[in-house]
Amino acid sequence: MPGTLPYARVLAAVAALLTGGVLPQPAHARSAPPAPAAHTNPLAERRADAQIHRHTDGYYYFTATVPEYDRIVLRRAATLQGLSTAPETVIWTKHATGEMGAHIWAPEIHFIDGKWYVYFAAGRSDDIWKVRMYVLESSAANPLTGGWTEKGRIATPMDSFALDATTFVVGGIRYLSWAQKDPAVATNSNVYVARLANPWTISGTPTRLTVPTHPWETVGFKVNEAPALVEHAGRVFLSYSASATDSNYCLGLLSASASSNLLDPAAWTKSPTPVLTSNTATGQYGPGHNSFTKTEDGTSDVLVYHDRGYKDISGDPLDDPNRRTRIQKLYWNADGSPNFGIPVADGATPYRLASVNHPDRYVRHQEFRGRLDADVRNLADSQFRTVPGLAGGGTVSLESANLPGSYLRESNGEVRLERDDGSAAFKSSATFRQRTGLSDAAWVSYESYSAPGRFLRHRDFLLYVEPAATALAKADATFRLE
């Protein structure tokens, strides 16, 4: 009959169920997953407004605002984490007088038509708040060693405070997006977009995409700035930063179809809530001025941003030098929208644990019970740091990303999220031996330290520590780190 399984498939299914196994899977159902990227934060101290360009030569190029606001620096490395210790080169220094003589802010490096370009903002030596956008050009293969030519100021229809230029290509069209003050609008800055005739020249009339109107966009100052674009599944997402650059700084988001007219404001939808904010639990404050890059294998998007490790600032936040560059994986919801999660704690970045036999479901905690769910919108509920085991001996423990100090532990066979009480019993029950995946060697399994032979597994989408003797149990106890 139409819609029924072939006879051989039915027999195999019955046999699998009778023996406690799993249904046969298509050959492509579980391909070897890419190795999860290991990142440690912060990536770079005293570097704000960071941007990382992943180039075709196999290197990552990193640039950022330095706290002295007097120069443009570059680093390069073969890995994202390698940027942390890569030597830094000064490629340009502010002018002694006149234009480009102060407030050297927010550089971005891009490779366009065979040449390197750096976009940045600068004030005048005699008027430091007369900030405008400028461009440098280099034809060298290695932008750290080549010479740079000043292409001058990016002219905009309004001759006003302008900064945070970024460029991107969608549908074969190159755009420039930036932040600028409109004297006719009672805000500090809004976000604009226009086509580019060449890397330093706007073509046509710019479009204003967003004005700060929500309460979270207007704390301290009415700010929309620092646009950054990421494209996914036929849609484009333009993040931007809002409010004052203290602990109120946060990220907002615009979205549009990649096939729409991006110069039409009606093509864009603005999120009513911020997508990344300060987090007291993880000790991260004022996340903002982000960019996007890719993991080394090109399979995952990475969020790059800055924040501070403390909330209270003495004086003007612009005089505080301690914004630092951070990176973490950008995840995607089932509907194709980005999930920024929370600014994770300093140290090793967390992973999600996907089920081998339900790959759209992830280990998460809900009301402190460990379970397996799909499309976890509260992303950090499904993120865990793999840390040295509380009981030691080459083991691991799984620490909650949004409740640091709390761990997945076995309690009467059930897996719960509980805070470490310091006892030997807790440490033992919250410790596992990370093993090769029981049902797939490319994945991982977690054997209980306190009950050898028992494994972290899901059953009816709840987590337990139980034996894994059957094929089904082995699959239930096998996970992918992502």
Side-chain angles (χ1 to χ4, degrees), residues 391-412:
T395 59
V396 299
S397 293
L398 299 173
E399 182 183 19
S400 168
N402 53 355
L403 294 172
S406 294
Y407 300 83
L408 292 180
R409 68 167 297 197
E410 182 270 335
S411 178
N412 296 319

Side-chain angles (χ1 to χ4, degrees), residues 183-354:
V185 179
T187 60
N188 297 93
S189 61
N190 316 302
V191 171
Y192 297 81
V193 67
R195 293 190 183 190
L196 281 176
N198 60 45
W200 59 91
T201 308
I202 287 172
S203 173
T205 302
T207 296
R208 188 175 68 207
L209 294 181
T210 175
V211 174
T213 55
H214 294 301
W216 52 270
E217 299 177 299
T218 58
V219 182
F221 295 99
K222 296 178 180 180
V223 169
N224 283 175
E225 65 181 14
L229 185 127
V230 63
E231 189 169 354
H232 180 77
R235 298 169 67 191
V236 292
F237 301 91
L238 194 74
S239 61
Y240 63 91
S241 300
S243 288
T245 57
D246 53 18
S247 63
N248 296 294
Y249 209 45
C250 60
L251 290 184
L253 190 68
L254 301 171
S255 61
S257 168
S259 61
S260 63
N261 177 8
L262 300 186
L263 298 180
D264 179 4
W268 296 86
T269 300
K270 183 175 180 176
S271 173
T273 56
V275 294
L276 192 69
T277 62
S278 293
N279 190 284
T280 301
T282 60
Q284 309 300 322
Y285 299 94
H289 203 119
N290 78 288
S291 62
F292 300 100
T293 189
K294 288 278 191 180
T295 51
E296 287 82 356
D297 62 8
T299 62
S300 298
D301 294 290
V302 176
L303 173 67
V304 184
Y305 65 99
H306 74 238
D307 74 2
R308 293 182 178 89
Y310 50 87
K311 180 178 181 179
D312 297 324
I313 298 170
S314 177
D316 189 337
L318 289 177
D319 295 331
D320 182 290
N322 293 319
R323 293 178 291 179
R324 66 267 177 86
T325 298
R326 314 182 84 250
I327 57 175
Q328 60 193 62
K329 181 174 176 176
L330 181 72
Y331 291 89
W332 296 93
N333 295 319
D335 66 359
S337 61
N339 195 324
F340 289 75
I342 62 173
V344 299
D346 286 352
T349 54
Y351 298 125
R352 301 178 91 188
L353 280 70

Side-chain angles (χ1 to χ4, degrees), residues 2-25:
T4 59
L5 287 169
Y7 183 65
R9 172 76 168 151
V10 172
L11 290 179
V14 171
L17 292 174
L18 290 176
T19 60
V22 293
L23 292 176
Q25 298 294 315

Side-chain angles (χ1 to χ4, degrees), residues 104-154:
I104 310 304
W105 286 344
E108 285 201 7
I109 185 167
H110 296 269
F111 192 75
I112 304 171
D113 297 333
K115 294 183 179 180
W116 292 100
Y117 293 89
V118 169
Y119 296 80
F120 66 102
R124 293 181 58 88
S125 62
D126 53 358
D127 187 353
I128 63 174
W129 292 106
K130 193 171 183 178
V131 174
R132 302 294 187 269
M133 301 178 294
Y134 299 88
V135 181
L136 305 176
E137 179 188 75
S138 177
S139 58
N142 182 352
L144 279 77
T145 59
W148 290 87
T149 301
E150 295 175 359
K151 304 304 289 186
R153 180 165 66 91
I154 299 176

Side-chain angles (χ1 to χ4, degrees), residues 381-397:
D381 284 354
S382 63
Q383 289 180 292
F384 299 89
R385 292 210 303 173
T386 303
V387 300
L390 299 180
T395 59
V396 299
S397 293

